[in-house]
Amino acid sequence: MLNHSSDPAQRNTSLALVRSEVEVTLEDGSKRRFRDFFSMKADCDIPAGAQILHTYGDLSDSQLLQTYGFIDAPPAAATAAASSKKQSQKHRKKGAAAAAAGGEGFSNPHNYVLLSMRVLLDAVRVVAAAAHLWPAKKAQQLLSAKLSYLSQRGLLPADNPDQGQLMITAATPMPDDLLNIVQVLMMTEDEFQQLQQADQEEQKQLQQQQQAADAAAGSSDLAAAAAGQPSAPSLDL
């Protein structure tokens, strides 16, 4: 039986597509030919009784549970709990074997959680009110302006930015986009105005640079066109 492991270091098999034709002798002595098939090979010596490990795909624990009815090896905390003094010697040996197999200290890197923007905005409102970051009467107007700003910068969807979701993965528990969104949402009114002014100045400079580049390109085209014009023919009288 082929079992799954989310830890590449614990897998002991490899799967490859073989695009050729081979003849195989079956248990009853008959022969059969196969073309274009998958071949799985052991990458190392696998002791008798050990699990044959490959991967069922880059799936989170919740996807594994929903699809196959199990989750991957538990992290260190769960393994330590499984080896507590309350358990029998037999169970402790099983816990030690699981740790040796790579369960301890490893968690599924494909786990993720979806953070609702509504939950994030509620947290921002609570923290802002406790820290008195802005007047309560301006809270909704200021947050709406910030959501519009973030959607214009591509950090939130243009339609209903307050209803989006952010994915937080085990590999990147604090993505840059989330940090940028929280930083903008937690700005005071003055800080947000300064950010908008800085962006406007940057946009103005970029427009001026583009206009200068377009003007220089136009002048070059005119000069090239003038240099390529034939001279007026002379008349011999």
Side-chain angles (χ1 to χ4, degrees):
M1 180 179 179
L2 182 66
N3 290 333
H4 167 85
S5 175
S6 297
D7 185 359
Q10 300 305 317
R11 299 170 192 163
N12 49 23
T13 59
S14 58
L15 184 67
L17 174 62
V18 180
R19 294 193 175 278
S20 63
E21 185 174 344
V22 297
E23 186 176 79
V24 178
T25 301
L26 304 180
E27 293 181 356
D28 60 0
S30 62
K31 295 183 178 181
R32 186 174 178 182
R33 302 188 69 84
F34 294 91
R35 176 185 292 275
D36 295 346
F37 57 92
F38 286 98
S39 173
M40 177 162 286
K41 296 182 179 180
D43 294 331
C44 60
D45 292 336
I46 303 176
Q51 294 190 75
I52 300 176
L53 297 174
H54 195 59
T55 174
Y56 296 172
D58 296 338
L59 304 176
S60 67
D61 283 345
S62 62
Q63 291 172 314
L64 286 171
L65 184 61
Q66 293 171 6
T67 307
Y68 299 106
F70 70 90
I71 62 173
D72 212 346
T79 305
S83 303
S84 66
K85 294 181 179 179
K86 296 180 180 180
Q87 294 186 322
S88 66
Q89 183 67 23
K90 180 180 179 181
H91 289 171
R92 287 200 295 272
K93 289 181 178 179
K94 286 185 177 181
E104 184 170 359
F106 177 82
S107 60
N108 190 341
H110 307 298
N111 286 338
Y112 67 91
V113 63
L114 294 176
L115 175 61
S116 168
M117 276 302 301
R118 291 185 176 181
V119 173
L120 180 58
L121 289 173
D122 287 343
V124 168
R125 291 187 182 96
V126 171
V127 174
H132 305 289
L133 294 182
W134 53 71
K137 62 181 180 181
K138 291 187 176 181
Q140 188 57 44
Q141 179 182 358
L142 187 56
L143 284 177
S144 297
K146 291 177 178 179
L147 290 173
S148 176
Y149 173 88
L150 291 169
S151 64
Q152 292 172 4
R153 297 303 180 276
L155 293 173
L156 292 176
D159 297 332
N160 302 320
D162 60 332
Q163 299 180 13
Q165 291 181 322
L166 299 171
M167 178 179 289
I168 302 174
T169 66
T172 55
M174 193 59 66
D176 291 341
D177 285 354
L178 177 58
L179 289 175
N180 292 332
I181 290 171
V182 172
Q183 185 178 19
V184 171
L185 291 176
M186 294 301 297
M187 285 181 174
T188 63
E189 186 175 14
D190 291 340
E191 290 171 340
F192 183 57
Q193 289 177 352
Q194 292 175 8
L195 176 63
Q196 290 177 306
Q197 292 173 357
D199 280 358
Q200 291 173 357
E201 290 295 328
E202 182 179 358
Q203 290 296 325
K204 184 177 180 181
Q205 291 178 3
L206 291 175
Q207 290 177 355
Q208 291 174 346
Q209 292 174 0
Q210 186 62 46
Q211 291 172 355
D214 292 343
S219 299
S220 298
D221 292 342
L222 289 175
Q229 288 180 352
S231 58
S234 61
L235 298 175
D236 295 333
L237 299 176

